[in-house]
Amino acid sequence: MTVVGKNYKVADLELAEAGRLKIEWAESRMPVLQHLSEKYRKEKPLKGQRIAGCLHVTKETAVLVKTLIAAGAEVSWSGCNPLSTNDEVAAALAADGISIYAWHGMSVEEFYWCIDKTLEFKPTLTLDDGADLIATIHQKHPELIESVLGGTEETTTGVHRLRALAEEGGLKYPVIAVNDAETKWDFDNVYGTGQSSIDGILRATSILLAGKNFVVAGYGHCGKGCAMRASGLGANVIVTEVKPTTSLKAVLEGHRVMPMDEAAKIGDIFITATGCKDVIIGRHIEKMKDGAVLCNTGHYDCEININDLDKLKVSKRKIRTNNVEYTLKDGRRIYLLADGRLVNLASAEGHPSEVMDMSFANQFMSLIRCAREGKNLENKVYDIPEEQDQEVGTIKLRTMGMNIDTLTEEQEKYLNSWEFGT
Ligand SMILES: NC(=O)c1ccc[n+]([C@@H]2O[C@H](COP(=O)([O-])OP(=O)(O)OC[C@H]3O[C@@H](n4cnc5c(N)ncnc54)[C@H](O)[C@@H]3O)[C@@H](O)[C@H]2O)c1
């Protein structure tokens, strides 16, 4: 069920009040964004800009949307995953007159319809999480490219896709890789994904993690965060990887490392966090124990091959919210959470507000940079400048009531010289 208005399509406008409370809660935990909102409220550096956003519709995203509007922008929004929209938050935004096309549980066709709707106001800036918006503009609406000054990308998979497009010479406007900022990648992906993915698994299963074999596929930023938190809850973490040095890090951090074919036989819970496809396929599922739980926290639902799981089953039933039981021919039961989509967003609320505060501060500052400098930038993927990272880090520390040391002139000189030795 959805409700349609002049500039929105959401699940149910009656949910708006509950959504407003959620947004208010998030706002109180996002001091960096509040600081930036105050700083730019008068100057309005985004005045005249039309921002199309394609990003998980969470309470934190709503705070970002409000910050962009406070800085003068007009926005039109869609969710970047069929299962990640919080309907209460979407209703609150729609009820406040903000253009939004998003509801939980949409089909893939509806997903692209929503993106198309946000493009009707001919954006001057784009904000992506996964690059589906930019891909749609490039493939389906090239006529819009001329008026776009630049865009930003929120996640690892989106940055990979855009770098691949740029390498082919196909990227038609500049994009800033927000994901790759230190104050994003090393915090959001690690601590955010770590905590919220465990939250999603627990909401869908309510199982005890202590003593379980918890298999993490991919020991990058997200995988490391999941491993750290599962280990903290008493699970035995097993890592599967394809990169030798990353695997070594996992071993030295106390985890067992082995190929998925081996891990499949002993794992109780499996989480994929690779950004790659076919990480768990039929061959692995055939070896799994009765009761094994499968989930994914990578951007797309191709990490667990769900077609293979479907082919192996004799029956399936929804046993809990976001938890489907697949019974195999020999009676073993395998549980798939959140249809193999981002378990932290589909089955929980996504990353905590405190960590999204830094990611979205980077989004906000990068969009201002695109508005100011976009015309002079090349059609390539830009990193965010080191000064921006340090500024976000400084504000965050300050809002947490913490101070740090400053280098003396002499120390700075020492650090930048080669003469002094033994
Ligand atoms: N759930 C969320 O809210 C959330 C948040 C941030 C990022 N992401 C997504 O999570 C995924 C991972 O992001 P990241 O920042 O950790 O990336 P990363 O590059 O830091 O780590 C990915 C790791 O996976 C490994 N890998 C690749 N293919 C593999 C395979 N077939 N088997 C085992 N290991 C493999 C790589 O060697 C690498 O170490 C991406 O899709 C990203 O977009 C999700």
Side-chain angles (χ1 to χ4, degrees):
M1 280 278 286
T2 49
V3 44
V4 188
K6 186 166 63 71
N7 64 351
Y8 67 82
K9 184 167 177 179
V10 296
D12 182 359
L13 276 186
E14 303 259 307
L15 301 173
E17 198 41 44
R20 285 196 189 103
L21 292 177
K22 279 203 158 73
I23 297 167
E24 205 181 300
W25 174 258
E27 219 158 25
S28 72
R29 267 128 231 284
M30 300 179 82
V32 181
L33 222 43
Q34 292 310 304
H35 166 88
L36 293 172
S37 181
E38 280 311 309
K39 181 172 169 186
Y40 290 107
R41 195 172 288 275
K42 272 205 188 113
E43 187 193 328
K44 301 223 179 304
L46 293 173
K47 191 159 190 280
Q49 301 297 338
R50 294 182 300 280
I51 303 175
C54 180
L55 177 78
H56 306 295
V57 180
T58 62
K59 55 193 186 304
E60 293 75 22
T61 297
V63 179
L64 171 64
V65 166
K66 288 173 72 180
T67 310
L68 295 170
I69 293 172
E74 215 186 309
V75 306
S76 189
W77 219 262
S78 69
C80 67
N81 185 286
L83 294 187
S84 69
T85 292
N86 181 298
D87 286 328
E88 294 172 348
V89 170
L93 292 175
D96 285 351
I98 295 162
S99 168
I100 177 156
Y101 300 89
W103 60 96
H104 188 96
M106 58 175 52
S107 67
V108 171
E109 293 72 40
E110 288 168 331
F111 175 85
Y112 284 104
W113 177 85
C114 289
I115 290 184
D116 277 347
K117 290 302 282 181
T118 65
L119 293 175
E120 282 177 2
F121 81 155
K122 299 191 172 40
T124 56
L125 297 169
T126 64
L127 186 160
D128 252 289
D129 186 334
D132 286 327
L133 174 62
I134 293 191
T136 303
I137 292 178
H138 278 65
Q139 289 166 336
K140 210 170 144 195
H141 300 287
E143 74 285 357
L144 296 177
I145 287 170
E146 210 189 323
S147 52
V148 181
L149 290 168
T152 57
E153 172 52 55
E154 172 76 7
T155 198
T156 319
T157 286
V159 172
H160 285 171
R161 291 181 75 188
L162 292 169
R163 290 224 160 94
L165 178 64
E167 228 149 80
E168 277 177 14
L171 184 64
K172 301 289 185 216
Y173 60 82
V175 181
I176 300 179
V178 169
N179 178 72
D180 296 3
E182 192 183 351
T183 44
K184 198 281 180 185
W185 213 358
D186 288 355
F187 293 87
D188 168 320
N189 299 34
V190 181
Y191 307 100
T193 310
Q195 179 170 320
S196 61
S197 300
I198 300 288
D199 186 6
I201 293 170
L202 293 181
R203 291 194 204 196
T205 62
S206 90
I207 53 173
L208 179 72
L209 287 188
K212 295 285 192 320
N213 285 338
F214 189 93
V215 180
V216 179
Y219 198 67
H221 294 72
C222 296
K224 189 187 163 99
C226 295
M228 188 178 11
R229 293 302 175 237
S231 177
L233 285 164
N236 306 308
V237 173
I238 295 167
V239 168
T240 72
E241 249 296 338
V242 290
K243 204 170 164 192
T245 47
T246 310
S247 309
L248 270 175
K249 285 180 194 159
V251 174
L252 268 62
E253 277 157 25
H255 309 307
R256 276 190 289 170
V257 173
M258 59 185 78
M260 185 56 85
D261 279 303
E262 295 302 313
K265 295 180 210 158
I266 53 176
D268 296 301
I269 302 157
F270 296 77
I271 184 161
T272 50
T274 69
C276 185
K277 65 183 287 206
D278 291 341
V279 180
I280 294 179
I281 56 174
R283 187 180 82 230
H284 302 129
I285 296 165
E286 278 173 346
K287 295 176 184 155
M288 286 178 185
K289 297 198 287 191
D290 179 32
V293 171
L294 312 185
C295 66
N296 165 54
T297 200
H299 192 75
Y300 288 116
D301 61 344
C302 58
E303 303 212 10
I304 300 168
N305 191 317
I306 296 160
N307 277 341
D308 281 3
L309 179 58
D310 255 319
K311 276 189 217 143
L312 287 170
K313 67 151 203 315
V314 285
S315 66
K316 73 174 183 180
R317 61 176 176 154
K318 181 175 165 180
I319 190 149
R320 287 169 60 90
T321 305
N322 287 307
N323 187 343
V324 174
E325 178 187 74
Y326 287 73
T327 302
L328 311 188
K329 286 183 197 88
D330 61 3
R332 272 177 304 134
R333 290 152 303 173
I334 305 291
Y335 297 91
L336 178 69
L337 309 187
D339 296 347
R341 292 196 182 274
L342 298 147
V343 71
N344 62 327
L345 282 139
S347 169
E349 290 180 58
H351 297 358
S353 313
E354 290 87 341
V355 84
M356 295 316 295
D357 193 23
M358 292 196 283
S359 307
F360 287 168
N362 280 305
Q363 281 287 0
F364 181 73
M365 289 157 100
S366 300
L367 285 165
I368 291 181
R369 180 176 171 208
C370 286
R372 286 180 175 153
E373 301 171 26
K375 277 197 189 107
N376 304 320
L377 296 176
E378 293 169 48
N379 295 342
K380 62 178 201 183
V381 179
Y382 284 83
D383 283 331
I384 70 145
E386 166 71 8
E387 310 84 71
Q388 182 176 312
D389 246 338
Q390 296 313 324
E391 188 184 344
V392 172
T394 303
I395 307 171
K396 187 72 182 174
L397 275 173
R398 209 172 57 218
T399 60
M400 292 168 84
M402 290 177 204
N403 275 320
I404 55 169
D405 290 325
T406 315
L407 288 173
T408 63
E409 231 174 85
E410 201 161 331
Q411 284 174 321
E412 204 149 345
K413 200 166 148 204
Y414 171 79
L415 288 174
N416 292 314
S417 66
W418 62 270
E419 289 93 344
F420 187 82
T422 310

